[in-house]
Amino acid sequence: MKYESQRVAWWFFATCMLLFGLQLVYGLIMGYAHAGHDPLHPIIPFHVARAVHTNLLVVWLLTGFMGAAYFIIPEEADRELYWPKLAYVQLIALVVVGVVAIIGFHLQWWEGRKFLEIPRPLDFLVVVDVLLFIANIGMTIWKGKRMTTTSMVLFFGLLMAALLYLPGMIPTDNQTLDSYWRWWVVHLWVEGVWELIMGAILSFLLIKLTGVDREVIEKWLYVIVGFTFLSGILGTGHHYYWIGTPRYWLLIGGVFSALEPLAFLGMAIYAIAMARKGGRAHPNRVALQWTIGCAVMSFVGAGFLGFAHTLPQVNLYTHGTLVTAMHGHMAFWGAYAMLVLAMISYALPLLTGRKRHDTPSASFAFWTSNIGMIAMTLAFAVAGITQVVLERRVGMDFVTVQKEIEVHFWGLLLAAGLFILGISAYIYNFIRHGKPVAEVQGGGDSGASPPAAEAA
Amino acid sequence: MLSKSAARAFFLGGTVLCAVAFVGLTVDTLGRIPAQTHQGEITDAVRRGKDLWDRSNCMGCHTLLGEGAYYAPELTKVFERRGPVFIRAMLTDPEKMYPGQRRMWKYDFSERDKDDLIAFFQWIGKMDLNGFPPKPTLAQMATTTGLAATVDRPQIFNQLCVACHALGGQGGQVGPALDGVGGRMAPAQIAAWLADPPAIKPGTQMPKLPLTDGQRQELTAFLSTLK
Ligand code: HEM
Ligand code: HEM
Ligand SMILES: [Fe+2]
């Protein structure tokens, strides 16, 4: 840790751990309900559990991105945060809004719009809070000693994420328009600007962990985020096939979204190539494991499994089935959950001054959670494909089909058990690192010492 | 080889180009949506129905236009598939309609709320969705009777009864299959049963359905032919 104000990142990361843990509990409730047991129905019916599960996911990921930015930006800009106290205020405000939203969901205070369930008054508070955050890191960059590509890409990713939240609030009576704008938030986040954030955080981690020259890493960062927007913006069309929008979206959405995996493939190749290229091994091997794991699993979950149902000929049958849930889990896990976990793994020893990165439990957490998630994805896949065949192709009744696939949800729960074991080990490690009491090192470029700069 | 400034130019150029194209297409789409979704037919009832749909978070279990959760049936074509009688009964007391099955939240909808939601579903069902939901192409293969056999049934049978009962291998499995029911029960028995199942057999899982006299006669006549 180079600057005193980076310490705030730890509090963001601790919040992440808490919300992530809670998210999984609600996942289990839904898994049991799908398996045929909903004893909690009178208190936490499925639609409550679902709103809590997905919103906690989004909130802990955003909290993680903010924590990452508060750690990365001072280091990149070579100065303390512009308003260090504001960062704490902003975290507390975010947590308060989050808690109110979660309690509100249990009282069924919400907007029933998938992923954007947070009630309108709270939406505005979220936007204000995020803008404060953006202002803080923006001023830090502006007043900093240097303006790196990594910090600019991160900054613009976060800024665009905040701005793209706004179309989701456009009022309309028409369900089609409602969906149309909802995707400007949901799709343009995960397959657009969040990828900028992902690219920037990965490149920061790769610079630190592999010691490859910044110029090389940042050049490829541009290429990757270039591919992201080239495919991802018009790729939004893959959500406009069947919602009452013109037919040309079948062609545009199909072609461009089919190219989206390229950005993720780029990310995977880039991470592996840089790790190979890096001369000196950084002692924090686990952080590198998560970094490369993130790049690879995001290709599997978002790239490969996204491609699997993105062509209109396929999507006609899989649209709105458990096949989507299969893709949703692996994509969010690989691209964004693992990204935040990679960042935490890297930053934690620096924040706390405890170098616990080589413990067996750290490695156990990585492997167990990933194997668990792969198994969960397989369970969703079998359930989803069976549903598609029986319901959409054979024409069997929905409820009858759900009875038929209940057994796969026992498989899901088993896999989830493994996954939760891995995540528990991760959280255990987090706790064992203790409070952020590391000494401040002061300015100057440190991290892994770079091998001879190399222009490629 | 590629320089960093060329990479940056690629990024900025590609992004601006695609963003402009996307905004242009959005303008065009916004112009076409009203016709494709029959926006003119959005009455006050439909508007209130959409509001109820949002406030109740129906999307937290169901899909509509294929969007939502995967816990409960797709509702885009529910008006055509089940009709207003079934929808109203379901919104009144879901557990009565699917006893002992996966549970739906019991909302306190007023009669007007139910009318509004039905109007909303009716409007949604008429949209041009480019072919969604797809027709089950393998249906013929899966049943010996095939789809054609359902044509001569009363519409109310295809909407309401098959939710729980099977006939010719197609339909729900909550109640017994209705093949041969005309042989087991006399027309008068069938009519009495349809009027009030729990009165005939206390504790039965079949609810008293809000059928009109005409619908009950139609169903009785049809069921009596199933020998
Ligand atoms: C990290 C990136 C990604 C994440 C986190 C992600 C996540 C999700 C989620 C949660 C959904 C469900 C949305 C909803 O129904 O409300 C979804 C849908 C979808 N995703 Fe992704 N996705 C990612 C990348 C991709 C990519 C790269 C592709 C294509 C190659 C893709 C193709 C699709 C398609 C076609 C659907 C619609 C499924 C349907 O019709 O029901 N996704 N994605
Ligand atoms: C204990 C582990 C978990 C279990 C048992 C679980 C289970 C579930 C279930 C049953 C659903 C609802 C599907 C439906 O609508 O019927 C769901 C939705 C979802 N979960 Fe999880 N989940 C778990 C962990 C996770 C994790 C770690 C992530 C992200 C990294 C995640 C992301 C999502 C997303 C994005 C959706 C919405 C998917 C969609 O709408 O297509 N879940 N989960
Ligand atoms: Fe998408």
Side-chain angles (χ1 to χ4, degrees), chain A residues 194-242:
Chain A
W194 281 26
E195 281 183 59
L196 245 62
I197 299 171
M198 176 183 175
I201 296 179
L202 281 185
S203 83
F204 173 82
L205 288 169
L206 289 170
I207 290 169
K208 296 292 171 184
L209 293 169
T210 68
V212 174
D213 183 45
R214 176 183 285 278
E215 284 299 303
V216 178
I217 291 196
E218 291 184 340
K219 176 177 79 183
W220 290 110
L221 174 62
Y222 272 131
V223 174
I224 288 168
V225 295
F227 273 114
T228 297
F229 280 155
L230 215 52
S231 57
I233 296 178
L234 290 169
T236 315
H238 66 183
H239 303 290
Y240 297 159
Y241 297 156
W242 328 115

Side-chain angles (χ1 to χ4, degrees), chain A residues 240-267:
Chain A
Y240 297 159
Y241 297 156
W242 328 115
I243 63 167
T245 34
R247 206 164 242 289
Y248 53 68
W249 285 111
L250 269 66
L251 183 69
I252 296 169
V255 169
F256 283 90
S257 71
L259 296 174
E260 283 181 44
L262 285 180
F264 287 98
L265 183 65
M267 216 95 65

Side-chain angles (χ1 to χ4, degrees), chain A residues 12 20 61 74 186 191 275 300 340 370 396 407-408 414 430-431 447:
Chain A
F12 279 84
F20 186 18
L61 291 178
V186 181
E191 291 159 70
V300 178
V340 171
N370 272 294
M396 272 167 75
V407 59
H408 303 305
L414 218 61
F430 186 92
I431 295 169

Side-chain angles (χ1 to χ4, degrees), chain A residues 30-69:
Chain A
M30 285 194 288
Y32 275 109
H34 263 290
H37 296 273
D38 60 349
L40 290 176
H41 179 81
I43 324 159
I44 310 179
F46 190 87
H47 56 327
V48 169
R50 186 175 161 105
V52 176
H53 182 68
T54 50
N55 282 272
L56 277 175
L57 169 67
V58 174
V59 172
W60 84 256
L61 291 178
L62 286 175
T63 311
F65 294 164
M66 289 180 183

Side-chain angles (χ1 to χ4, degrees), chain A residues 38 110 112 114 149 173-174 176 178-180 182-183 218-219 222 241 245 248-249 319 393 402, chain B residues 2 4 8 26 28-29 36-37 39 47 50 54-55 65 67-68 70 102-103 127 130 136-138:
Chain A
D38 60 349
W110 52 24
K114 192 176 181 184
T149 301
D173 294 333
N174 189 327
T176 298
D178 197 312
S179 273
Y180 194 89
R182 199 171 61 79
W183 290 116
E218 291 184 340
K219 176 177 79 183
Y222 272 131
Y241 297 156
T245 34
Y248 53 68
W249 285 111
H319 180 52
R393 307 274 287 155
Q402 292 293 310
Chain B
L2 182 74
K4 188 168 171 183
R8 185 191 302 129
T26 294
D28 183 75
T29 297
Q36 196 169 344
T37 62
Q39 192 160 284
R47 218 166 268 134
K50 169 166 164 39
D54 281 347
R55 265 193 293 135
L65 309 178
E67 294 180 355
Y70 320 117
R102 190 174 278 187
R103 283 186 284 181
M127 284 185 182
N130 302 334
T137 39
L138 301 180

